[in-house]
Structure formats: C-alpha cells, structure tokens
C-alpha cells in the first residue's frame, strides 16, 4: 500500500500559540491535513504546547524547543529518526538555512513561508542561501512578494501569494451588551484598534489615531477610541493620550480573550490601524467580516485585505487630513453585512494549499529526473 505524503514542518508556533503567524500556521496545517494524499505532518515548534486530541487528523505536533541551538539539533534528530519525509516546510525565514540543509540532505523539496518585514530586506548570507534553495516560497501579500524579489535570487514563478484566511466565526451582529458594560461604553461611538503594543511596533499607528482624536471629538463628542492588546509600548501611548487631552475618550483594555474577539469587533463602529509595515493584516478581514468598515495604510501588505481601497479605506498614514476624513466617513456609514472578506475564506485557502503542495512535490520529481 502506498504511504501518504509526509511533511516535516519547522515553525515558530502553531497550535497552542498566539498571534497572526500562529493562526496562519494552524490554518495551513489544518488545510494540509484535509488533503487525501497527505499521510502525516510532523510539526516541530519553537513555542506552544497543545494536547494531541486538539490537533487535526494527521497532524503530530512535538514538544517545543526554545533554545536556538537546541532547536536545530532537535530538528536534525527528528528528520533522521522520524522519516522518511517528502517535503520540509519552513515557517519562518530565520529557520531557512536549517530547513534547506535538511531538505538537501534528504533530497526533498523545501517550502518556505514568508510573512512581512523579516523578508523585506536582504538577510545575512547564510539565511539568504537557505532561502534561495526553496522549491516554493509562499508569501502573504503582493507587497511582501515585491520586496522579497528585489533581493532574492529565485525565479518569480516559484514565489506565490497565499494570503491569510479569516474564520467564519466573525460575522455581523448586534453590539454586545456584555462588552459595552464591561468597558463602560454604553451610548458611545467606538473606533477600535487590535494589535500588539510594543515600542518596536510604533508603525502600527496608534499615535496617528490619537493625533486626530481632538478633531474627531469636535464632530463626534460621544466617540471613544478602544485600544485592545498589550505590550511595553502601552505606557507611552497612555502618556500621549494625556498630552493630546483625549485620555477620557481612550480606553486601553489590554489583551482580549480569543473567545471575546467576535463580539468586540461587532461592538465597534469602525476598525482603524494606519500601519506602514503590515505583512498582511488579518485584523482587517476580521473587522470587515464582522460588518464594520476597516481603515488601514496604502503602502504595505494592508492593501491586499483592503483590496486596494475597494473593500476598506486605504489611506496615506502620515497624511493627517486623509486619516481624519476616512475615520469620519467610516463612522457615518451604516453597518453592513459581510464585506468582501469571503474571498479569503478557509475553503479557498485550503484549495490553494492543496494545489501548492502538488506543485512543490512536482519540483522534486522534475529535479530528480534531470539528475
């Protein structure tokens, strides 16, 4: 009996992890697990634990290894002892040299996944070497693909856009009375940003929203800016809100439990994240699928979920007037049904994943025939 395709997946985090990359990896692994030709996916994460019963069929996630050196030696051991494998998947550019070395040793193709700023500039030589051994590179947005191809010596046809997907648990609905009462938002008009709040992630644009709040409040005196998420940049933003004289109209609510997110989006009147360095921006899809308008930047990967401004507002982030006009317009729009986000549904994502897996395996067959 012919065994199914076996995939060795090197990832930062997936099941048991948090954040956009973790969710992307979970979606990708789940999509592969539904492909009839796949036998098993062995996942080696850096962080994140989960119970075996929480994993999709055919997915086996091993214990995480945080140490860089320890991770490398552990992965080499897994590749040698738990094979044979047919594909090495590398979920982060930092692991590309390790993944390429294993793929080369096993004479199997490597699939590399890229997300955002880590792939926008040329890395050190060893990482670049690993990247350029890839049989297939998938990126989350057209912008990341353009930036990547400026430095990578790799054929463009081997670089494919595989965008994030959005869960159907996000859907239009009434404002959540529980959320309104929990954060004291009854009778308020709400704009929302959901993201990390790190001093290294100032590009997310919270400060840009705070800068236009005084003007917005003159037109919408009942407005509250809800900032969801946490990090070491929160104190700086709290000071900025005080300096702008809008602290009474800004609520920092910290990290929100994942189960509450759909209700949080539904309770907002608009989502705004004028970021300049997004690899994609799944939060825009989540907001639009929840029936609220989304406002983002026009110079990075945000343009893909916003569909170049046809699905949401795409603004020049540092143009204060443009941002102010977009937020004002969004607040005056009636709430809608699902807007464009179905183009990024999980069934579409799964179909693309299956096709790309076939393409990746075909590269190995073609290479072996040439040899």
């Amino acid at each position: 009996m012919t065994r199914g395709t076996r995939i060795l997946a090197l990832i930062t985090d997936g099941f048991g992890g948090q954040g956009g990359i973790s969710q992307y990896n979970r979606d990708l692994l789940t999509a592969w697990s539904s492909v009839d030709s796949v036998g098993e996916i062995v996942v080696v994460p850096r962080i994140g634990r989960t119970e075996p019963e929480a994993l999709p069929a055919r997915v086996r996630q091993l214990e995480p290894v945080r140490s860089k050196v320890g991770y490398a030696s552990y992965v080499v051991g897994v590749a040698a002892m738990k094979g044979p494998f047919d594909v090495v998947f590398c979920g982060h550019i930092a692991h590309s040299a390790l993944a390429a070395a294993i793929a080369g040793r096993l004479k199997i193709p490597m699939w590399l996944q890229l997300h955002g700023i880590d792939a926008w500039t040329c890395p050190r030589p060893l990482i670049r070497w690993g990247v350029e051994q890839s049989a297939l590179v998938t990126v989350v947005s057209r912008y990341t693909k353009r930036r990547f191809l400026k430095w990578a010596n790799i054929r463009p046809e081997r670089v494919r856009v595989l965008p994030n997907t959005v869960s159907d648990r996000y859907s239009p609905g009434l404002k959540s009375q529980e959320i309104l009462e929990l954060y004291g938002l009854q009778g308020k008009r709400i704009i929302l940003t959901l993201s990390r709040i790190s001093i290294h992630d100032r590009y997310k644009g919270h400060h840009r929203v705070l800068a236009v709040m005084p003007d917005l409040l003159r037109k919408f005196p009942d407005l509250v800016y809800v900032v969801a998420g946490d990090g070491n940049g929160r104190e700086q933003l709290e000071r900025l809100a005080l300096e702008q004289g809008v602290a009474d109209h800004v609520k920092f609510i910290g990290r929100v439990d994942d189960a509450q997110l759909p209700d949080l989006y539904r309770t907002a009147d608009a989502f705004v994240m004028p970021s300049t360095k997004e690899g994609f921006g799944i939060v825009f899809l989540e907001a639009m699928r929840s029936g609220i308008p989304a406002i983002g930047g026009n110079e990075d990967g945000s343009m893909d979920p916003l569909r170049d401004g046809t699905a949401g507002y795409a603004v020049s982030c540092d143009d204060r007037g443009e941002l102010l006009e977009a937020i004002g317009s969004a607040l005056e729009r009636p709430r809608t049904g699902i807007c464009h986000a179905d183009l990024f549904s999980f069934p579409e994502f799964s179909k693309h994943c299956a096709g790309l897996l076939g393409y990746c395996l075909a590269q190995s067959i073609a290479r072996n025939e040439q040899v």
Side-chain angles (χ1 to χ4, degrees), residues 23 54 168 241 276 365:
Q23 181 62 59
D168 58 9
T276 56
I365 293 170

Side-chain angles (χ1 to χ4, degrees), residues 76 79-80 85 88 97-109 129 367:
V76 169
F85 293 102
V88 174
L98 172 62
I102 291 171
R105 177 70 175 174
L106 299 179
K107 295 183 171 55
I108 59 176
W129 169 83
R367 182 175 60 184

Side-chain angles (χ1 to χ4, degrees), residues 106-128:
L106 299 179
K107 295 183 171 55
I108 59 176
M110 168 180 149
W111 175 339
L112 172 65
Q113 172 63 43
L114 302 176
H115 292 273
I117 55 177
D118 290 338
W120 290 354
T121 55
C122 187
R124 63 184 187 273
L126 182 61
I127 297 296
R128 179 173 181 172

Side-chain angles (χ1 to χ4, degrees), residues 12 107 130 163 189 371:
T12 51
K107 295 183 171 55
R189 207 178 305 232
V371 175

Side-chain angles (χ1 to χ4, degrees), residues 63-328:
E63 286 296 302
V65 181
R66 287 183 174 270
S67 161
K68 290 182 180 180
V69 175
Y71 182 78
S73 60
Y74 182 56
V75 171
V76 169
V78 170
M81 303 299 294
K82 297 187 183 297
F85 293 102
D86 302 289
V87 177
V88 174
F89 172 75
C90 180
H92 196 284
I93 193 172
H95 297 152
S96 60
L98 172 62
I102 291 171
R105 177 70 175 174
L106 299 179
K107 295 183 171 55
I108 59 176
M110 168 180 149
W111 175 339
L112 172 65
Q113 172 63 43
L114 302 176
H115 292 273
I117 55 177
D118 290 338
W120 290 354
T121 55
C122 187
R124 63 184 187 273
L126 182 61
I127 297 296
R128 179 173 181 172
W129 169 83
V131 166
E132 292 174 353
Q133 307 312 302
S134 304
L136 171 67
V137 179
T138 47
V139 297
V140 295
S141 66
R142 296 167 298 166
Y143 182 78
T144 292
K145 179 177 179 176
R146 289 195 297 270
R147 292 289 297 263
F148 172 67
L149 285 174
K150 283 184 178 179
W151 62 262
N153 181 23
I154 193 167
R155 295 199 306 273
E157 63 268 21
R158 282 161 50 195
V159 184
R160 308 291 184 89
V161 176
L162 182 63
N164 294 69
T165 183
V166 61
S167 170
D168 58 9
R169 72 192 185 101
Y170 297 98
S171 61
L174 298 175
K175 293 195 173 197
S176 165
Q177 291 303 311
E178 182 181 349
I179 295 287
L180 292 173
E181 292 173 9
L182 180 62
Y183 300 116
L185 298 169
Q186 298 95 327
K188 302 298 184 181
R189 207 178 305 232
I190 301 163
I191 55 175
L192 169 70
T193 300
L194 170 66
S195 77
R196 298 184 306 273
I197 308 176
S198 166
I199 57 175
H200 302 296
D201 294 334
R202 194 168 185 268
Y203 64 81
K204 295 285 185 182
H206 299 85
H207 65 288
R208 298 182 179 101
V209 181
L210 291 172
V212 299
M213 277 293 290
D215 288 334
L216 286 168
L217 286 166
R218 280 190 278 275
K219 187 172 184 180
F220 307 103
D222 59 344
L223 182 65
V224 175
Y225 178 30
V226 174
V227 180
D230 222 335
N232 60 9
R234 174 170 170 169
E235 186 177 338
Q236 188 178 77
L237 289 176
E238 290 174 333
R239 286 199 304 269
L240 182 57
L242 282 169
E243 292 168 6
Q244 294 286 346
V246 298
D248 291 342
H249 293 268
V250 181
K251 285 192 178 290
F252 293 88
I253 64 174
R255 185 177 177 275
V256 178
D257 185 85
D258 187 65
Q260 283 190 313
L261 290 180
D263 278 339
L264 180 63
Y265 281 113
R266 293 184 196 110
T267 305
D269 296 286
F271 180 86
V272 56
M273 192 173 75
S275 177
T276 56
K277 293 183 180 179
E278 289 304 304
F280 182 82
I282 193 173
V283 286
F284 297 119
L285 294 184
E286 293 169 349
M288 291 188 293
R289 191 172 170 84
S290 301
I292 64 172
I295 303 158
N298 65 2
E299 55 187 87
D300 61 4
S302 306
M303 290 291 275
D304 280 23
L306 296 174
R307 299 196 67 206
D308 298 330
T310 63
Y313 296 83
V315 302
S316 299
C317 294
D318 290 319
D319 187 320
R320 191 174 184 281
E322 198 172 323
L323 178 59
L324 182 63
E325 182 180 353
I327 297 174

